[in-house]
Structure formats: structure tokens, C-alpha cells
Amino acid sequence: MKGYIEDITFLNEKAIKFGNEKVEGILVPSLGSNLLSLKYKHKDIELLRTPDSVEEYKKASILYGMPILFPPNRIEDGQFTYKGTSYKFPINEMEKYNHIHGFLHDMPWQVRKKEVNGKEIVINTEFSSSDFDLKGSFPQDITVNMSLSLRAETLEIQLEIANKGIEPFPWGAGYHTVFNFPFGAVSKWEDCRISLPVNKHWELNERSLPTGVIHETANTLEIQNGISLDGRQFDDLFGYDKERNPENECILTDQEAGIQVIYQGDQHFKFWVLFNQEGFVCPEPYTWVTNAPNLDLPAKLTGLRELCSGETVQLKTRLIVKEI
């Protein structure tokens, strides 16, 4: 299954089209290194929500492709303090007075590598804070490297975060992956199921921030076995159940289209947000819970972790496409 890579223009930006006989993707480094298209060629199905125009994309860029979140989700009042250092992000959710989704998803990244190694395609992009003036928001020196690897129907994504500065910083990361769900052109919600490996439900307040109250998920077995989103709308925060689901994976099944996507995260991803609207669903894997640095809860519970000077951490996710 020979792979290929092409330089193209997408949304008026330089982009990388890559693929093999089964799968084809489009990565746009200048738009947050966003994977804006992932097509299952055998059935001509676009798996991700893809914009038709620059104007459409600019209206709500976070609702297309696979935006990288750092930090993920909301920060109360757009700020927190950690070990005496202040982090201040712009308020971009005005009605709730929060910052949401961090600064990586709309910044330009640099291409470091793109090559075809037999049946494997490897693309490597990098963001370095030293290329930008971010001291007002994120005063630490950080490098984030993303590596995509496509083999057959499996796309592996590795995110490596490195502390290039002197002071430690708290980190949380995630993806706002927007699936074009139902996948099939004639599929209906009632033909589709999504399962998540979760068992804890975090209560949110009117600003969509955690109250600190955590419940057992009322419909745990249903969510773990697969629920229909027909007539249901979610914007919910869940904790991952490692004991019952060692394979930390979300499964999206479209019976009518005969296709299933398995979305796996490694053990760093302790939380999932489920968000859906008409025609799309976002299962969002996070390493920390929404607003983690401002919560008066143990770091073990919130997923907040520290990266010391010279340290790196690697986060791995995987998208697997299957016919059913």
C-alpha cells in the first residue's frame, strides 16, 4: 500500500496532502497544524468536518478538523497563577467570561519533516514559543512537536511538549476532534452509535466550569456500550474509567455507511468531553480537566501535571478506520 505526499493549496494556505490506497488527509501547518481533512477513499467518506471556504473556516475554526488544544477547554477569567507565575489568556468566550482552548490551534507551525518510507508516511511539524511574543499569556519557553504517521487505515499522532525554559510550568493538552458524523451521506442519527470509556461525570456550573462535584455517570453502561445521539445534545465532561476500559478509546459506528472509527488515546488522557450539534460530534480527549489550575482539588484528580526545565512529555493518539 504505497504512500504519497503532495504540496497543495488549501483555504489559500500551503498544505500537505498525504495518503495511500485507503486513506487521504490534508494537514495545514499555518493554521495550527490542523488536520482539516481525513477521507476514507474506499467509500468516499470524509471523516472530519471540513470547511468549504476560508470564510466558513474563519467563522468557527475550532469546529473543523482536529484542532490541538493547549491548554484544553476553559480557563476561568482567562487566568491562573502557578508557583508565583501568572498566566493570562485573552477572554474569547465573552458571554461566560472565560478563555477557551488555548493558543496552539490558530498559530502557524513549521514543517520539520515529510517523507514516505515504503508503506508509512511521516509528517513532522513544530511550534516554538520563541518565534512569537507570548510572554503576556504564557511566559515560559515551550516547544511542541507533532508527528503524524499513516500506515494502511491507521493514523498515529504524537504530540511532544518540551520545556525549553528555566521555570517549571503546568500543562494540559487535548484535541477538539470534529467528526463529520453521521459519516454516510444518507445515514441517520438513529443508525449511529458512539461509545466512550468513561464512568465519572463532572458537574458544570452556568459558566461551563467544574464545580468540583463528581458523580457516577448515570448511564455508564450505555455510554460504554454505545449511545445514539438522536435527539440528544451533549457538552459534558467525563472521567476515563481505566479499570473497565484499559483501551482508552472512543468508537464511532455508522451502521448504514458500514464504517467504524476507533479513536484511541494513551494513558495521559484521563478525561473526555462529548460535544455535539447537528451533523457533527466532538469526542475530545484531555490530559487535564477543564479549568484544572484554578480548581481546589488534588492534581491527581484534575490531571494537572508539571513539566520541569529540560523535560519533555509525549502524548499519543490513534485513529483507526474499519469497515463493518
Side-chain angles (χ1 to χ4, degrees), residues 125-314:
T125 60
E126 190 171 83
F127 171 87
S128 178
S129 63
S130 62
D131 294 337
F132 305 92
D133 182 13
L134 296 174
K135 296 301 182 187
S137 289
F138 199 87
Q140 312 297 0
D141 192 2
I142 179 175
T143 297
V144 184
N145 187 288
M146 184 174 77
S147 181
L148 298 180
S149 170
L150 177 66
R151 286 182 68 93
E153 299 99 335
T154 299
L155 179 68
E156 292 189 345
I157 302 165
Q158 177 178 285
L159 208 62
E160 182 176 276
I161 303 166
N163 185 345
K164 299 291 188 178
I166 298 167
E167 300 296 324
F169 62 75
W171 67 271
Y175 295 95
H176 199 275
T177 312
V178 194
F179 286 104
N180 189 37
F181 195 65
F183 294 128
V186 297
S187 300
K188 298 181 175 62
W189 280 113
E190 56 261 35
D191 301 321
C192 300
R193 295 289 183 272
I194 180 169
S195 68
L196 289 166
V198 298
N199 72 328
K200 302 292 185 185
H201 189 257
W202 286 66
E203 183 180 280
L204 303 177
N205 63 19
E206 67 282 353
R207 293 174 66 186
S208 300
L209 301 169
T211 63
V213 177
I214 308 167
H215 302 285
E216 289 288 327
T217 306
N219 48 350
T220 297
L221 282 177
E222 186 189 8
I223 290 177
Q224 290 182 355
N225 291 329
I227 60 170
S228 167
L229 297 176
D230 187 29
R232 303 167 81 168
Q233 191 153 347
F234 286 88
D235 192 0
D236 292 66
L237 173 62
F238 297 99
Y240 158 54
D241 182 5
K242 182 181 177 180
E243 301 275 317
R244 298 184 200 175
N245 294 277
E247 298 290 335
N248 187 12
E249 61 186 25
C250 165
I251 301 177
L252 300 103
T253 305
D254 184 334
Q255 208 70 44
E256 177 68 27
I259 198 167
Q260 188 175 73
V261 175
I262 301 168
Y263 187 13
Q264 298 175 337
D266 69 15
Q267 298 300 318
H268 289 293
F269 294 98
K270 300 179 185 300
F271 309 93
W272 289 85
V273 164
L274 180 61
F275 169 61
N276 70 297
Q277 289 187 3
E278 184 63 36
F280 70 85
V281 63
C282 304
E284 307 169 35
Y286 292 173
T287 65
W288 82 15
V289 76
T290 301
N291 200 35
N294 289 318
L295 297 179
D296 188 19
L297 292 170
K300 187 176 180 182
L301 197 59
T302 66
L304 186 147
R305 291 183 54 198
E306 179 180 280
L307 204 61
C308 294
S309 176
E311 284 188 342
T312 63
V313 62
Q314 293 178 343

Side-chain angles (χ1 to χ4, degrees), residues 96-112:
K96 296 179 180 178
Y97 204 73
N98 297 317
H99 171 78
I100 187 166
H101 293 329
F103 56 87
L104 287 185
H105 65 86
D106 58 2
M107 301 288 278
W109 291 47
Q110 300 299 315
V111 179
R112 296 295 182 222

